[in-house]
Amino acid sequence: MAANSKATFSSDIIGVLQNILAHSQVIIPDLETQYPIINNSNYSAFKLDYQNIRAIITERQQQLDAVSHEISCIETVIDSINHIHRQLVAKKDKITQSMNSHKRLVSALWRLPAEILSQIFIHCLPIGPHLSPASEAAPMLLTRICRQWREVAVDMPTLWHRLSVGEDWQRAAFCYEAWLKRSRGRPLSLELQCHENNWTGLRSLLQPYMNQVSSLSLDFDPNVLQPEVMILDFLALEELTIVLGFPTPKFAIIQCISQPPCTLRSLTAMGVFFDKEYASTFNPAWDHLTNIQIDLCDPSTFPQMLRLCPNLSSLTIYTLFSAMEALEPFTHTQLQSLRIFSDDNYDDDTDYLNLFDTLLLPNLRVLEAHDVYPWPHEEFKAFLTRSKCPLESLTLGFGVPITDDQRAEYVALIPSLKVLVLR
């Protein structure tokens, strides 16, 4: 009853105030007297009645006191109204919250079966190969909406099989561990930020999940003096990406990738720079690789790379194609995709890329070349004729000079060939 009285009282106050304000008006009194406004320069020109002036001042003081009191009272009323306003806003918020809560009970969204929610949740994941445990992004955000959503999200290993572990992982070790547990034995794709030789700590975090890691990306900080990651610890590893910041020592990294687990199929190594000396230390596990993206110190190591990897189907190389010594003939029967990225390092037009002089790639389907100058047109035609490959796509990027007539000659050799020239 008291609650209802207060509610009625509030409504009454609003009604009374509205009525008062509608009929209220502040009357500004006429404050003029027989004495004009004067200044220091001319007041002596008037005959002053000091007794009368003192009476006017007394009256003005009384008027000022009265209006000051009225202002104080109005401010008190305004404070009370503001207090009531805050209470009404709080009341509105509670009513809205209650209404929305009950709306959810009849909303189709909250009655969706777990199978449908699972599909929706998958499409909520951020775009990218790896996810960070940010509270404002999926999948973490999905666990904070309601109990049903949390249960569904936590029970979905597919939401938790990609993870990026930052340099400050120790501050959030519990969060990372909870994330990894939710993968429930599924193959893991991890990105590790390697800073200040922190592999020992990372290894303790990852130890229970080593055999789940199928894809691993290692980003080494340039200030790391001696990288110490052991690739052999990941016995189920299929994909490995290494980004080595200059001037991080590369010898330890070379040791790691020279002894990969036999499960490894794809290797990306940027900043490592493969050469003949390091190649001699590589073990036979390289013959299982099917995809490589790597920097070459010297393009003459290209055939050696192919010999190490007889099952290679895709190769991307970054190198400086300066003048090279003649290469021994070599055939690779499995390579289907070859991408070459070079820096224009020629002093004149007499040097050319002799990579195609003795190479035979009978299964090549995709070829890209960027910044190769001058382009060995005749040698490339001979390569196509000699290889008899089913080339489907030829992309010549910026820095590869080619004429329309030369382009037509390639198509004449392979009519189904699509040639894209980027200018």
Side-chain angles (χ1 to χ4, degrees):
M1 187 69 180
N4 291 335
S5 298
K6 289 183 179 180
T8 303
F9 180 69
S10 297
S11 299
D12 291 343
I13 290 177
I14 295 171
V16 170
L17 286 175
Q18 288 176 333
N19 185 55
I20 291 175
L21 293 174
H23 297 86
S24 297
Q25 183 179 359
V26 176
I27 300 175
I28 307 298
D30 183 5
L31 302 176
E32 291 187 6
T33 65
Q34 68 269 31
Y35 302 103
I37 303 301
I38 58 178
N39 54 42
N40 292 335
S41 63
N42 60 7
Y43 74 93
S44 60
F46 298 93
K47 183 179 180 179
L48 301 178
D49 183 345
Y50 291 104
Q51 185 176 0
N52 188 27
I53 292 174
R54 289 190 184 96
I56 293 173
I57 293 174
T58 301
E59 181 184 5
R60 294 294 181 269
Q61 185 62 54
Q62 292 172 348
Q63 291 172 325
L64 180 61
D65 292 342
V67 74
S68 297
H69 178 70
E70 290 173 349
I71 291 174
S72 177
C73 292
I74 287 294
E75 288 176 345
T76 301
V77 171
I78 291 174
D79 289 342
S80 299
I81 291 175
N82 285 336
H83 177 66
I84 293 174
H85 178 264
R86 289 192 294 271
Q87 289 180 322
L88 290 174
V89 170
K91 177 181 178 181
K92 175 188 174 184
D93 292 342
K94 285 186 175 295
I95 292 172
T96 302
Q97 183 179 6
S98 176
M99 181 178 67
N100 290 339
S101 297
H102 287 81
K103 278 184 176 180
R104 293 190 189 103
L105 297 176
V106 296
S107 171
L109 180 63
W110 300 97
R111 290 182 282 112
L112 289 175
E115 294 78 8
I116 302 299
L117 281 177
S118 299
Q119 294 300 315
I120 295 174
F121 288 175
I122 290 175
H123 291 284
C124 290
L125 293 176
I127 298 175
H130 302 96
L131 306 176
S132 61
S135 60
E136 300 302 323
M140 294 296 290
L141 179 61
L142 301 173
T143 66
R144 301 169 54 210
I145 305 302
C146 66
R147 179 182 298 177
Q148 182 195 10
W149 282 31
R150 175 178 177 80
E151 291 175 352
V152 172
V154 170
D155 198 40
M156 289 181 60
T158 52
L159 296 182
W160 311 97
H161 73 102
R162 296 182 291 146
L163 177 62
S164 177
V165 182
E167 59 178 305
D168 59 343
W169 66 270
Q170 290 173 317
R171 283 188 245 172
F174 177 80
C175 180
Y176 285 114
E177 186 174 358
W179 184 298
L180 292 168
K181 284 182 178 178
R182 291 170 185 173
S183 66
R184 298 188 181 182
R186 295 291 181 90
L188 286 170
S189 177
L190 298 183
E191 178 186 51
L192 305 182
Q193 304 290 331
C194 301
H195 295 259
E196 299 179 358
N197 301 322
N198 60 347
W199 173 239
T200 302
L202 277 174
R203 184 174 183 174
S204 65
L205 172 69
L206 301 175
Q207 186 63 47
Y209 313 98
M210 289 287 198
N211 293 340
Q212 289 179 234
V213 180
S214 63
S215 176
L216 180 63
S217 177
L218 303 174
D219 190 350
F220 289 95
D221 185 90
N223 297 320
V224 176
L225 298 179
Q226 187 61 41
E228 48 183 334
V229 176
M230 294 302 296
I231 306 303
L232 282 175
D233 289 341
F234 300 91
L235 299 179
L237 192 62
E238 297 178 7
E239 299 178 4
L240 174 63
T241 298
I242 294 178
V243 179
L244 200 61
F246 181 84
T248 308
K250 63 179 181 178
F251 180 71
I253 299 300
I254 292 292
Q255 283 186 316
C256 287
I257 65 175
S258 67
Q259 309 292 328
C262 61
T263 54
L264 191 67
R265 295 295 179 268
S266 177
L267 171 65
T268 298
M270 309 307 298
V272 177
F273 294 102
F274 177 92
D275 61 22
K276 292 182 179 179
E277 178 184 356
Y278 291 128
S280 63
T281 67
F282 290 2
N283 74 0
W286 272 61
D287 63 13
H288 298 293
L289 292 177
T290 59
N291 175 64
I292 292 179
Q293 182 175 334
I294 199 167
D295 292 316
L296 298 184
C297 282
D298 183 343
S300 62
T301 60
F302 175 75
Q304 191 171 8
M305 173 73 67
L306 295 179
R307 289 188 180 93
L308 276 172
C309 311
N311 292 301
L312 200 62
S313 63
S314 176
L315 175 61
T316 300
I317 57 174
Y318 298 82
T319 189
L320 296 175
F321 276 107
S322 55
M324 297 186 302
E325 60 185 25
L327 301 177
E328 296 181 3
F330 182 75
T331 301
H332 195 289
T333 61
Q334 300 301 315
L335 194 65
Q336 299 184 33
S337 174
L338 175 61
R339 291 175 171 84
I340 302 171
F341 293 83
S342 175
D343 288 330
D344 183 4
N345 197 39
Y346 295 104
D347 296 326
D348 52 55
D349 290 353
T350 60
D351 297 331
Y352 71 92
L353 174 64
N354 60 352
L355 193 65
F356 300 112
D357 286 359
T358 56
L359 192 61
L360 202 65
L361 302 176
N363 204 26
L364 189 66
R365 299 176 184 274
V366 176
L367 175 64
E368 287 187 29
H370 299 265
D371 292 316
V372 177
Y373 179 85
W375 175 248
H377 170 65
E378 294 298 333
E379 290 74 14
F380 182 66
K381 280 201 311 177
F383 161 76
L384 293 179
T385 302
R386 185 173 62 253
S387 293
K388 298 180 181 179
C389 57
L391 194 63
E392 300 169 357
S393 173
L394 172 62
T395 300
L396 300 177
F398 299 102
V400 180
I402 183 175
T403 66
D404 291 339
D405 290 341
Q406 291 173 330
R407 181 174 175 174
E409 290 181 47
Y410 302 150
V411 176
L413 290 173
I414 306 177
S416 59
L417 178 62
K418 294 181 180 178
V419 182
L420 175 63
V421 180
L422 305 177
R423 301 191 186 279

